[in-house]
Amino acid sequence: MTSSEARAVTVPRVVAAEWTKVASLPSTTWLVAGTVCAAAFLAFVLGLFVGPGDAVSSTSLASSGHLLAQLGLLVLGVLVGSTDFAVGTSLTTYAAVPRRVPVLLAQVALTAALALVTAVTAIAASLAVTVGARRTAGLSWTPSDPTDLRAAAGYVLFLTGAAVCGVLLGSLLRRPLAALATAVALFLLLDHLLAPHPGRVVDTVRAFLPSSGTRLFADDAQLAALAAGHGPHLGAAGGGLVLAAWCAVLAVLAGYRLVRRDVS
């Protein structure tokens, strides 16, 4: 192997380097474990209050810990995207990878893979700890049921999309607190602040926030309630497309700033 080949910047080497940084972050393990535990714990606690005849489904019960789960994965994504800039190692990183974009793509791919595994574990744990609550309420959950399967897959896709948005916001804003505050506002605060004031404009704005991706795992009753509002009737697939569009727009903005601006 020549010296130039040894120094060549390849996609596998960029991914390996970024994985080393992600795995070496002390917060990574804690965030993954904490996200799974928090999601399952919240689902378990809420399940304690469920009884026969309550307006709850097996889908909504199993996914009821998503608020804490998405917060944990947003933090994970923001830290992956912004740590280089926050600790001042970005100059070294982009001196080694002058084209810059491969670094962002590697961070997105690694975060998505980590979030995917975390989300699958979280929904499995939530289903396991709510077995008693579902039995008490007379609810069943089976992966062969199309509705249950769609909800579980949607739960995983939504959390993965939230983590991807987190890493892109982290790279775009480069300040962990600013990126996290923006992510929390987009995914949590705005929707909850607007929800008590329904109307054509407000419902339309809510439909196009990234939190619209929660439609991916909403049960039939929740989707019907959303369809009865004044906003566009997106359905589960439409909510997923809105979240994907946010990921795409943030990727373009983060990539543009990375290429066109300095990285100090």
Side-chain angles (χ1 to χ4, degrees):
M1 178 182 293
T2 65
S3 58
S4 60
E5 288 173 334
R7 292 193 300 270
V9 177
T10 63
V11 171
R13 286 176 178 170
V14 174
V15 172
E18 291 305 308
W19 171 248
T20 300
K21 287 192 288 186
V22 171
S24 63
L25 286 174
S27 56
T28 300
T29 301
W30 288 106
L31 282 171
V32 170
T35 296
V36 173
C37 292
F41 178 74
L42 183 57
F44 173 76
V45 171
L46 294 177
L48 296 177
F49 300 95
V50 173
D54 289 346
V56 65
S57 67
S58 57
T59 295
S60 61
L61 183 57
S63 61
S64 56
H66 78 276
L67 285 175
L68 294 180
Q70 68 176 309
L71 182 59
L73 292 178
L74 283 173
V75 173
L76 174 66
V78 165
L79 289 178
V80 172
S82 63
T83 295
D84 255 356
F85 301 102
V87 302
T89 57
S90 54
L91 291 176
T92 304
T93 297
Y94 294 106
V97 189
R99 295 180 64 183
R100 300 183 182 180
V101 171
V103 173
L104 180 61
L105 295 178
Q107 291 174 342
V108 168
L110 290 171
T111 303
L114 199 54
L116 186 70
V117 173
T118 305
V120 169
T121 309
I123 190 65
S126 297
L127 287 168
V129 300
T130 54
V131 168
R134 293 200 302 276
R135 186 183 301 118
T136 300
L139 303 172
S140 63
W141 193 97
T142 173
S144 61
D145 184 293
T147 301
D148 291 340
L149 183 60
R150 189 267 299 170
Y155 182 92
V156 172
L157 288 175
F158 172 73
L159 292 181
T160 302
V164 169
C165 282
V167 71
L168 293 170
L169 280 170
S171 179
L172 176 64
L173 301 179
R174 302 184 178 181
R175 298 289 184 272
L177 288 179
L180 183 58
T182 303
V184 170
L186 288 173
F187 275 84
L188 296 170
L189 292 183
L190 284 177
D191 187 64
H192 284 79
L193 289 174
L194 293 174
H197 310 288
R200 183 176 297 278
V201 174
V202 169
D203 288 354
T204 300
V205 171
R206 289 182 64 204
F208 291 104
L209 290 172
S211 53
S212 184
T214 56
R215 285 172 166 83
L216 283 167
F217 55 87
D219 60 25
D220 292 341
Q222 291 168 328
L223 289 174
L226 289 169
H230 300 88
H233 308 325
L234 298 178
L241 289 175
V242 169
L243 180 58
W246 274 91
C247 291
V249 170
L250 289 174
V252 170
L253 294 176
Y256 179 84
R257 186 180 186 190
L258 196 58
V259 172
R260 297 292 184 180
R261 305 291 182 179
D262 63 62
V263 292
S264 58

